[in-house]
Amino acid sequence: MASMRSSELLADAYSRIDTIVSGVLTGLEVDKANWRPAGSGNSIAWLIWHLCRSQDEQMAQVAGVESVWHRGAYAQRFAFDLEHDSTGYGHSTQQVDAVHLDSTDLLRQYHQAVLAQSLDFIGTLEDADLDRVVDSRWNPPVTLGVRLISIADDCVQHGGQAAYVKGLPRAI
């Protein structure tokens, strides 16, 4: 029996993010996607958009490629009233409100494009690549392996939050 490569394990983890996101977006009505629990919680639209933006920018940085967001002109296509490079970190309540969808189709398309770019990069990795330092501002410096796990962890958390919000009654 052949041994599992680290890249195969990472590909499985990132594919599970897709399972979460696809499950949230399937059957999701646009008004529920834009709804903010208690009027100030994060909407599903914002959570999934932020998940995708974060994964996209961080993965592009470690892969040394242009982000899907820029290459696919998604800022213009979404047309949110946000800074062009915004990823959602530190967003105010007004900025969360700005992530408003007319349909979930473009969000699903963006997620699929980010996932494809992530899986393409992960598929090129050898185990030794995971030791490459990608951020020396930390002590200890962050390696590619640690960064890829951190990205996946963040995405799974936001995907779980979106799934939770989807299940909430609108009266909350």
Side-chain angles (χ1 to χ4, degrees):
M1 180 181 290
S3 298
M4 179 178 262
R5 296 176 45 230
S6 298
S7 62
E8 294 170 322
L9 185 63
L10 288 164
D12 181 72
Y14 279 80
S15 294
R16 290 173 189 232
I17 297 164
D18 179 49
T19 301
I20 295 167
V21 171
S22 294
V24 170
L25 294 179
T26 298
L28 180 65
E29 296 174 3
V30 73
D31 64 325
K32 182 75 180 231
N34 294 314
W35 173 68
R36 297 183 66 190
S40 61
N42 292 328
S43 67
I44 294 169
W46 185 88
L47 287 162
I48 300 296
W49 171 82
H50 170 61
L51 173 162
C52 294
R53 285 291 295 125
S54 299
Q55 180 180 343
D56 186 13
E57 291 301 326
Q58 292 183 75
M59 193 66 75
Q61 188 271 325
V62 298
V65 298
E66 186 176 28
S67 68
V68 172
W69 184 256
H70 292 288
R71 190 178 66 249
Y74 280 96
Q76 294 84 354
R77 294 167 70 190
F78 277 107
F80 297 144
D81 186 19
L82 295 171
E83 292 294 322
H84 181 75
D85 288 332
S86 183
T87 61
Y89 288 110
H91 266 187
S92 67
T93 192
Q94 293 81 13
Q95 289 168 311
V96 173
D97 275 340
V99 178
H100 188 88
L101 303 175
D102 295 325
S103 143
T104 60
D105 294 340
L106 185 58
L107 186 58
R108 183 183 302 272
Q109 179 186 350
Y110 178 52
H111 165 69
Q112 290 299 317
V114 169
L115 175 66
Q117 181 162 287
S118 297
L119 292 176
D120 285 349
F121 173 65
I122 288 168
T124 70
L125 298 175
E126 298 296 329
D127 289 351
D129 295 329
L130 301 178
D131 293 330
R132 175 173 57 98
V133 172
V134 296
D135 191 345
S136 59
R137 296 174 297 173
W138 299 90
N139 186 13
V142 177
T143 64
L144 177 59
V146 168
R147 178 60 48 85
L148 293 175
I149 293 299
S150 175
I151 296 167
D153 178 58
D154 192 50
C155 290
V156 167
Q157 288 186 54
H158 288 310
Q161 291 166 351
Y164 177 78
V165 172
K166 183 178 181 181
L168 287 175
R170 290 288 304 262
I172 290 180

